[in-house]
Each structure stands twice: as structure tokens, then as C-alpha cells.
């Protein structure tokens, strides 16, 4: 019996430090896609708050904040708790339509006051199914977020799903650890940008990265990036879905808002892994010693 999963990737613009406005749009898109039959809906990184400011070291505060201190306070206020109204609303959509939602959020720690995570949440019937906190923090993210220490994998209907966030893609260990825990689908939610007045250096950047992580692990790799402008930076969009052998199944080759829809045939995961031996042929007994030592010291 064939296992198939309908997915929707929402490539959207976001308003800095405006969780209510952003949340209203998220719920609207999630409802429409779930109603149309999507079993998995994916949203970009930091959907409730927008990306952190300054976006790049040495930059300014497009949101109008006068200092890091003021921005940090506003970011914390705009972040979500685990019982946040937005999480409840998206969970209600998932529950009503028996679907799942992956959404990037600035999330307050449930146990430590003043601690924030750059998180990717898997929501489904009943609420939060798993939470991944970004392990590798990019530049100014380190000013505000605490890095995560776990890589959960969860069941969603016909597949097992793992999550990562943006910069994590440059560390192959993340996707491999998810695959070794049984992940067949890996989501990467982005807020990847360039200078608004600078040409994009490589139109195929996101394709190259998704191809590599997909084919070296035999997973469907779902790459969902945001769009829009924040200060002098332009978010690059170009969301896509890569098949287990790396071939691109579907893509939005632009920086405009849109929803990318695709059908994943999970039998392709089995076929690719069996034909290549990509997981069976690993030699972890050889890698371990090197991995445990920091060769740069």
C-alpha cells in the first residue's frame, strides 16, 4: 500500500515584532491549506516576531528600537509561551482537519524566565507534538537565544518527521542524526536574506543545499524560506521540496509570497535507501574517534 503525504510550504512575508498580525495570517493560511487536504503545512523561521535585529552585525534596528536592550525586551514580549493563543489556534486547525503544522517561533522557556529559543514546533491533533530549538545560532541570534540540545523525531500519519532551522543545514550531522532516528521527512524553516540592493550570488543556492542533505540521507527535504524586506535586507524565498535522491520535486523560484504544494510518495525513501545502501554502508566505528576530538585545538 502506497504511503503518500500532501504538503504545503507557506512562503510569506512577516512584520517585525507583530505577533498578533503575523499570527492572524498564519492561521488563515493553515486553515485554507488544511481544508484543501494538506496533511503537513510548513511555515518559515521566527513567524511570530520576524527575524532578529540587527539582521547583520553592525546593522541598525528597522523596528525603530534604540538599543539592543530595548529590542531584547520587545522581542521577549513578542515571543510565545507553550500555551500561547497562536499555538492554540494552529493546534485547533490541525485537530479539526487531522493535519500537522511545522512553524518557526520565538519561544520562551517553560522553566527559566528570560530565556528564549529559536524554535520549530510540530503541532498536530492535541497540541504540541515536538519542539526543536535551533542548535546552531547564526551571528546576532546568539545575543537573544539559547541553543538547543536535542533533535526530536515524531510520527505524522504516514511518515516520521524531523526538524531543523536555517543555519543548521550547514552541519550535516543534524540531518544524519534525524535520519538515524527514523526520519523520512526533514523540514528546514528559514529566514535567509541578502542585501536588498545586492544581486543573489547563486540562484540555485537552496537547491544545492537541499539536494545534498536529501540524497546523503534518503529523506524528503522540505525547505521553507520567508520573503519580504526588513530594513536593508531582502529575504530570498525560493522554497522547495527535494526527493530522497536529491531531485527537486517542486519549487518556488522567486522571492514573492506563495504556497508550494507537493505530494510525497514515502515509498521513494525505502526504494532509494535499499538501492544505495546509504545508511547500511556507514562506518561509525571509524568516525567516532575523529568526531570526539576537536582537531582545531
Amino acid at each position: 500500500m502506497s504511503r503518500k503525504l500532501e504538503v504545503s510550504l507557506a512562503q510569506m512575508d512577516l512584520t517585525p515584532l507583530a505577533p498578533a498580525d503575523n499570527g492572524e495570517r498564519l492561521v488563515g493560511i493553515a486553515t485554507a491549506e488544511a481544508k484543501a487536504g494538506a496533511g503537513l503545512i510548513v511555515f518559515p523561521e521566527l513567524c511570530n516576531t520576524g527575524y532578529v535585529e540587527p539582521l547583520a552585525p553592525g546593522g541598525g534596528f528597522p523596528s525603530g528600537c534604540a538599543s539592543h536592550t530595548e529590542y531584547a525586551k520587545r522581542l521577549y514580549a513578542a515571543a510565545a509561551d507553550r500555551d500561547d493563543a497562536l499555538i492554540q489556534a494552529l493546534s485547533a486547525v490541525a485537530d479539526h482537519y487531522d493535519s500537522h503544522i511545522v512553524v518557526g517561533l520565538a519561544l520562551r522557556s517553560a522553566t527559566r524566565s528570560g530565556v528564549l529559543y529559536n524554535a520549530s514546533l510540530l503541532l498536530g491533533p492535541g497540541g504540541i507534538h515536538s519542539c526543536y530549538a535551533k542548535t546552531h545560532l547564526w551571528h546576532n541570534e546568539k545575543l537573544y537565544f539559547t541553543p538547543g540540545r536535542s533533535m526530536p523525531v515524531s510520527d505524522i500519519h504516514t511518515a516520521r518527521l524531523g526538524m531543523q532551522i536555517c543555519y543548521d543545514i550547514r552541519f550535516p550531522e543534524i540531518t544524519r542524526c534525524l535520519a538515524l532516528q527514523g526520519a523520512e521527512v526533514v523540514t528546514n524553516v528559514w529566514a535567509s536574506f541578502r542585501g536588498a540592493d545586492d544581486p543573489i550570488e547563486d540562484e540555485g543556492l537552496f537547491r544545492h543545499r537541499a539536494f545534498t542533505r536529501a540524497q546523503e540521507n534518503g529523506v524528503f527535504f522540505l525547505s521553507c524560506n520567508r520573503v519580504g524586506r526588513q530594513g536593508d535586507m531582502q529575504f530570498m524565498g525560493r522554497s522547495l521540496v527535494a526527493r530522497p535522491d536529491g531531485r527537486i520535486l517542486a519549487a518556488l523560484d522567486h522571492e514573492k509570497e506563495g504556497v508550494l504544494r507537493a505530494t510525497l510518495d514515502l515509498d521513494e525513501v525505502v526504494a532509494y535507501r535499499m538501492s544505495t545502501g546509504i545508511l547500511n554502508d556507514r562506518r561509525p566505528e571509524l568516525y567516532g574517534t575523529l568526531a570526539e576530538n576537536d582537531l582545531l585545538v
Side-chain angles (χ1 to χ4, degrees), residues 289-290 293-297:
T289 301
L290 291 173
N293 294 299
D294 189 341
L295 301 182
L296 298 180
V297 174

Side-chain angles (χ1 to χ4, degrees), residues 162-181:
M163 300 177 287
Q164 58 185 243
I165 302 173
C166 200
Y167 185 44
D168 282 330
I169 200 172
R170 300 197 190 196
F171 300 85
E173 296 90 345
I174 295 288
T175 313
R176 176 55 52 84
C177 287
L178 295 173
L180 292 176
Q181 293 180 81

